[in-house]
Amino acid sequence: MPDDSSATALPPVPMQFTASQRDRAALEALARQARADLERINVPPAAWMLSAESATDASPVLDVLVAGAGMCGQTAAFALRREGLTNIRVVDRAARGEEGPWGSYARMLTLRSPKQVGGPELGVPSLSFRAWYEAQHGSEEWQALHKIGRIDWRDYLLWVRDTAGLAVDNGVRLRSVSHAEGGRLLSIELEAPGGRRETVRARQLVLALGRDGSGAPRWPDFPSLRRDDPLAAGRVFHSADAIDFAALEGQRIGVLGAGASAFDNAGCALEAGAAEVQLFARRAHLPQVNKSKAASSHGFLRGFEGLDDARKWRVYTYIFDEQVPPPWESVRRCDAHAGFTLSLGTPWLDVAPDEDGVSVTLPNGGIERFDAVIFGTGFDVDLLDRPELARYTPLVDTWACHVPPEEAQRHPEPTRFPYLGAGFELRARASGAPDAAAALSRMRLFNWGATMSHGALAGDIPGLAIGATRLAQAIARDLFVEDADRHWARLQAHDEPELAPTRWYVPPDRRERP
């Protein structure tokens, strides 16, 4: 920890809170205004899609299934509606209000983004978070707000969903994906509460499965630790786990990691009454500069996808190597407690749970004893960890196939990111079967796994609107092109006589043909 003399010179931490008071009447009035605004700009526009040729009343075909109704999935669905795509379905395995991390494993007090960022409103002012907040608390309170409360953000997302009329089937899990008709149609197995299974057919699938939706939580490997060890239950956690922090009262907790989630979990444990929390980082000092902020301008977010592979690789391997510092508010949240200790330059060599606690082996040969430990080690990107896509993952093209071997060896984690097309579609390696390749092109990855190909458009709030709009427009384009001949037939059959109310109207049988 810094010495007390330097700490006294630090600026005060602005007031932070996870949730503000709700004014239901004000929100209902704002919702009416927002719906009127949507109508004024003709959202949603008239539906234009043709039914799939193999669709029947007994066996319908969705144009798009969106798997995941968190921030990304919800905004993708809204963007699809704005493109006139109405034959869509949105599912999420969680209960209403538990989609995404905001009400579960996100343990920060406030969002890490500036309060002015937009995204879920897709440019409609009355759907913005600022409008939502000011409607309830006024413009002066908005000006005084430091950052957006985490629970406020969750509740705002639900309000946008309801106001825009975005239906979500909660409690429905994506289980598996296969294909039919030579890859022209996806067969998607879903599981509802109680284990009830259903299979739906869809022409396009948006995989908006969250931060871990293209991999899994990153569990460090230690010689004495097995994830299924019963002794680890209740003592060894990942920051993405459900943790009963109240049960940690009076205990000594070890946290591994130097990022935001590590500090946020340490802060939760301290606020719950943990006697001591010791946070360990392998670096000699914390990362100091968030390079991602320089990659969040509209120009960067819109233009990154157009870069060549070498420049894309250069940008994000640099950002990943520099790492993102924890927000200063999260650091101060921990430093405010006398029981907090930060041990820099101290990686863990082993983690061994037993009946009485957890032993952590340090590089100097010493052993620290804790009642419980938390890994704040983030998430891996590796589609091999996603059981829903098991039949396709060996075929998925990744960045490993697009960089020199020496670069792949230097940066093994970025090589596992999927190599996506311009519309977020998965691509097959050159050796993939044609029907499987066609099926993959109908699966759009809209989460953190898209970062190496598109930049931070599917997970970080600043790029969300750009990403969702790009995704929806790509789907609309591809569906139209696929049905081009049928749209041509519709064009020829179109017969709406404009001049019928005039004396110059000519009936069809009297018209001269060119």
Side-chain angles (χ1 to χ4, degrees), residues 27-45:
L27 289 179
E28 288 171 4
L30 181 61
R32 289 193 294 272
Q33 178 188 339
R35 292 187 186 109
D37 289 342
L38 289 172
E39 185 178 1
R40 290 185 181 102
I41 59 173
N42 193 35
V43 172

Side-chain angles (χ1 to χ4, degrees), residues 264-280:
D264 288 334
N265 278 264
C268 282
L270 290 161
E271 290 160 1
E276 295 180 54
V277 175
Q278 188 168 1
L279 191 150
F280 295 80

Side-chain angles (χ1 to χ4, degrees), residues 8 13 39 48 104 144 161 209 266 293 296 323 371 387 397 498:
T8 58
V13 179
E39 185 178 1
W48 54 269
S104 55
R161 176 192 304 180
L209 299 173
K293 288 185 176 181
S296 61
Q323 297 192 331
D371 296 294
D397 194 11
E498 180 69 25

Side-chain angles (χ1 to χ4, degrees), residues 249-458:
E249 183 178 2
Q251 297 189 358
R252 188 166 192 262
I253 310 301
V255 179
L256 179 63
S261 63
F263 277 89
D264 288 334
N265 278 264
C268 282
L270 290 161
E271 290 160 1
E276 295 180 54
V277 175
Q278 188 168 1
L279 191 150
F280 295 80
R282 68 176 181 268
R283 285 192 168 208
H285 57 77
L286 295 174
Q288 298 293 303
V289 178
N290 184 354
K291 295 289 185 177
S292 296
K293 288 185 176 181
S296 61
S297 69
H298 273 57
F300 195 104
L301 295 171
R302 290 191 187 280
F304 179 82
E305 191 276 330
L307 297 178
D308 58 77
D309 288 349
R311 286 186 170 90
K312 287 182 180 180
W313 182 260
R314 179 178 67 182
V315 166
Y316 268 98
T317 54
Y318 172 69
I319 290 175
F320 293 163
D321 284 348
E322 290 291 304
Q323 297 192 331
V324 177
W328 70 271
E329 301 96 333
S330 296
V331 176
R332 294 283 294 276
R333 178 186 183 188
C334 293
D335 276 343
H337 295 265
F340 175 70
T341 304
L342 174 59
S343 297
L344 294 165
T346 313
W348 290 1
L349 302 185
D350 198 11
V351 173
D354 55 49
E355 293 181 353
D356 298 318
V358 183
S359 295
V360 173
T361 304
L362 303 178
N364 59 7
I367 293 179
E368 290 279 357
R369 287 286 295 173
F370 297 102
D371 296 294
V373 297
I374 302 172
F375 298 147
T377 47
F379 298 89
D380 276 323
V381 171
D382 189 347
L383 288 179
L384 292 174
D385 290 327
R386 301 307 308 183
E388 307 93 338
L389 304 178
R391 70 176 63 231
Y392 298 102
T393 45
L395 306 175
V396 172
D397 194 11
T398 65
W399 274 85
C401 303
H402 297 268
V403 297
E406 61 273 15
E407 281 295 303
Q409 187 173 10
R410 286 179 58 206
H411 304 284
E413 183 171 339
T415 64
R416 296 196 293 272
F417 277 70
Y419 187 86
L420 302 181
F424 295 90
E425 68 272 21
L426 292 169
R427 295 167 45 141
R429 298 181 183 183
S431 58
D435 58 340
L440 278 172
S441 71
R442 296 174 182 275
M443 304 179 203
R444 317 274 177 158
L445 193 68
F446 197 56
N447 59 19
W448 178 246
T451 303
M452 287 297 299
S453 298
H454 284 265
L457 299 188

Side-chain angles (χ1 to χ4, degrees), residues 493-497 500 504-514:
H494 178 74
D495 186 14
E496 182 180 314
W504 301 103
Y505 172 68
V506 178
D509 58 348
R510 292 172 50 195
R511 297 175 196 166
E512 294 182 6
R513 295 296 179 187

Side-chain angles (χ1 to χ4, degrees), residues 457-472:
L457 299 188
D460 290 353
I461 298 171
L464 182 60
I466 294 172
T469 301
R470 179 180 298 172
L471 171 77

